[in-house]
Amino acid sequence: MENHYASVIESPIGKLTIFADDEFVHAVTFADADVRDLTQNALTLKVALQFEDYFKGKLKDFDFPIKQKGTDFQQQVWQNLIAIPYGETTSYAKFSEHHPLAIRAIAAANGKNNIAIAVPCHRVIGSNGKLVGYAGGLWRKQWLLQHEREIAQKGQTEIKF
């Protein structure tokens, strides 16, 4: 039987709970979770530090090992989410342009993502530019997108003449 661990951090958008075993992170969630019988381990502590750096604007890409339960199709969608650049957004239509008939399935897989922020489903918006669906609440999605845009612009250097 594998061991289960959890770390909880306070963030500007609420409590974030990180669930892992000895090798992989299985979930990062805003939902209230029962962690009474779980302790932290080296992996959950490493991930907690990465999230703290993300919220401080010091980290753009997470590098912890992820293993979510899901179909091969869902796994592919989640990998594609990770490829959306920090500070940018894409629409469901653009995200599914290689599989236009699968737009609903892609949206459903996006909704089943259990790794908040690090698998950035918050970067997918409606074709009309509106914020749509986010399990953590649209106000969090808006905060995350605004945070990333602000940090991404700070990284640009000014050209001085």
Side-chain angles (χ1 to χ4, degrees):
M1 186 174 145
E2 61 188 53
N3 295 318
H4 295 280
Y5 304 94
S7 286
V8 180
I9 67 162
E10 290 295 335
S11 83
I13 51 176
K15 216 181 288 186
L16 207 55
T17 307
I18 302 151
F19 293 98
D21 60 23
D22 291 309
E23 296 178 70
F24 297 99
V25 173
H26 299 284
V28 177
T29 180
F30 293 108
D32 282 333
D34 182 7
V35 294
R36 281 178 294 188
D37 297 331
L38 300 176
T39 58
Q40 303 180 99
N41 70 352
L43 179 54
T44 64
L45 290 169
K46 171 190 173 180
V47 174
L49 287 174
Q50 286 192 19
F51 275 103
E52 287 171 9
D53 283 348
Y54 168 86
F55 286 112
K56 290 176 189 167
K58 295 179 183 175
L59 180 96
K60 295 179 181 176
D61 298 304
F62 296 89
D63 68 356
F64 55 86
I66 293 171
K67 190 178 209 174
Q68 297 193 65
K69 285 188 173 120
T71 64
D72 288 345
F73 179 79
Q74 288 169 329
Q75 300 290 342
Q76 183 183 351
V77 169
W78 297 330
Q79 284 305 308
N80 290 341
L81 287 171
I82 292 170
I84 301 170
Y86 180 94
E88 294 182 22
T89 57
T90 190
S91 68
Y92 280 105
K94 187 153 179 48
F95 193 67
S96 63
E97 67 189 0
H98 301 297
H99 305 286
L101 299 176
I103 191 166
R104 284 196 173 103
I106 289 169
N110 196 6
K112 295 245 187 280
N113 171 34
N114 287 318
I115 311 283
I117 305 169
V119 178
C121 55
H122 63 276
R123 295 181 190 151
V124 182
I125 60 174
S127 297
N128 58 3
K130 289 209 161 97
L131 300 186
V132 291
Y134 187 63
L138 289 181
W139 68 273
R140 283 193 177 106
K141 182 173 187 157
Q142 185 174 4
W143 189 97
L144 291 165
L145 293 174
Q146 199 170 333
H147 172 71
E148 291 183 1
R149 281 191 197 116
E150 288 172 10
I151 300 303
Q153 288 171 354
K154 284 182 188 166
Q156 296 172 351
T157 55
E158 289 179 27
I159 300 171
K160 300 201 190 256
F161 296 97

